[in-house]
Amino acid sequence: MLSGRMMDFPLTIAHLLERAGSVHGHVEVVSTLPDKTRHRGTFAELHERSARLANALTKLGVKAGDRVATFAWNHRQHLECYLGVPAMGAVVHTLNLRLHPTELAYIANHADDQVVVVDLSLWPLFDKFRGEIKNLRHVLVVRDTGGPAPEGTLDYEAVLADASPTFDPPALDENAAAMLCYTSGTTGNPKGVLYSHRSTVLHAMIAGLPDAIGLSADDVVLPVVPMFHASAWGLPYVAALTGTRIVFPGPHLDPASLVKLMAEERVTVAAGVPTIWMGILQLLDAAPEKVDLSCVRTMIIGGSAAPASMIEGFSKRHGLEVTHAWGMTETNPLGTVARVKRHLRGDAAKELALRATQGFAVPFVETRHVDSDGKVLARDGQVMGELEVRGPWVASSYFGDEGADRFTDDGWFKTGDVVRIDAEGYVTITDREKDVIKSGGEWISSVALENALMSHPAVAEAAVFAAKHPKWDERPVAAIVLKPDAKADKDALIEHIRPSFPKFALPDEVVFIEQIPRTSTGKFLKSKLREQYGNILVDKA
Ligand code: ADP
């Protein structure tokens, strides 16, 4: 190798923490508390408190590589764990508070959590599985509701107060583990994904680019996406890097609270799953004159498909821009962003169609799609296959080496998403593999049907799933939630979408329900619909 090269300077979260304090110290962090009041702090305080946390953990005997779990809403103490835990060499493991206690116990033991930082407001939930965590040594309680820390636990604030504010980060290997996130485990047990310092920092650098998520020191970011889900899409780390003001929603995730928070804190970029934004769109539609959201530059929507009708509704009726993005826990999580390339602009309908795709890969993420034999398919925008990705923030294996079949011999990760890819690199997800509808040998895209159904003015939400069929094996059935006081029957809905689909792709049946069952991260839970209505066509036959 040639001599006289650049330094081998490690990409670590310790640097992000240092930078947050020394360069962006004045930047504000706003946290919504359970009683709806807002705590206001700064990056300088964040830096000092994260340093105290790092020192306190060392004093408590936490060693490099140990897992320190969080069981918390989105707020400043959670952010302190995001920065302080990896900075001292340990691994921050975010527990998903929407999971069942049995699952949480499984995950906490699988991760071998030794310390848990828990919100007092979540204590009743935590109490249901804490006894099951085998190697649990310390519980630090964030007294967000003001009451005393339960017996046998440590008060997070007292622990911080006792620790030194001066922190000298240990030498860290950039490839060392920094964060542990679990997939939801819709199929089989949840699997752990270890983010390294390097993957997290590189991800933050790319996610921060203007054509990716894009955050600057002029922005105010609202991560609605929970910090227990795929590192809140890396937004906290991007903000630490760029000096972006952060506004946390705490436990208040209902549309009215979020809209109020966005307006009052002059949020410029908010991020969350489609179900959150569907609720917000309905609220705005019902009372458009009441809220001033002119501060909002864009809303990042991902986690499941953002329907074109929603993207259009926000833009046409409220002047609000949606940025549609795709990612997975296994990809740290950002993979693709639906920007309309300059030369593809000009025709509103085509632009909308592109914005409703999952977009093209961000730098350093590579995409391809393959058939069931692993043969790489053409990027013709037509042929469907499984999406595979690779890149510096794509998992190369799962924690504990489970699920080895998801990784190909030639170094790609199999996403389980069925997609088309066009010549420009735009990826369109037609389904998750487990949700694909196979009707007499033809694959029917549930996502395309849902998008079309959700463009009917009476429809609040639509989920299309496979129901068993005596002749065709499976046929699509639509579960529909109507908007309050709106009316539409099966025929009206089918007529509405008929022009956009071949006859065989139209749903055989429509069921009207109160709410579509959701996963722990707010996605439609189609397995539940299949369980409940999977035999509806057989029973009718
Ligand atoms: P899980 O959904 O299993 O809880 P993840 O949050 O990691 O775990 O989800 C990743 C999956 O979410 C992707 O494989 C894909 O199916 C889906 N997904 C993410 N973003 C989008 C999007 N913009 N459009 C459609 N599906 C998406």
Side-chain angles (χ1 to χ4, degrees), residues 183-186 229-230 301-306 324-330 358 415-417 429 431-432 434 519-521 523:
T183 63
S184 75
T186 327
H229 183 214
I301 307 190
S304 45
H324 189 200
W326 169 91
M328 304 182 71
T329 304
E330 290 88 337
Q358 279 62 34
T415 63
D417 286 334
I429 294 191
D431 263 303
R432 295 188 84 160
K434 53 181 184 268
T519 69
S520 62
T521 49
K523 306 179 189 196

Side-chain angles (χ1 to χ4, degrees), residues 87 210 369 406 479:
H369 66 324
R406 299 285 297 276

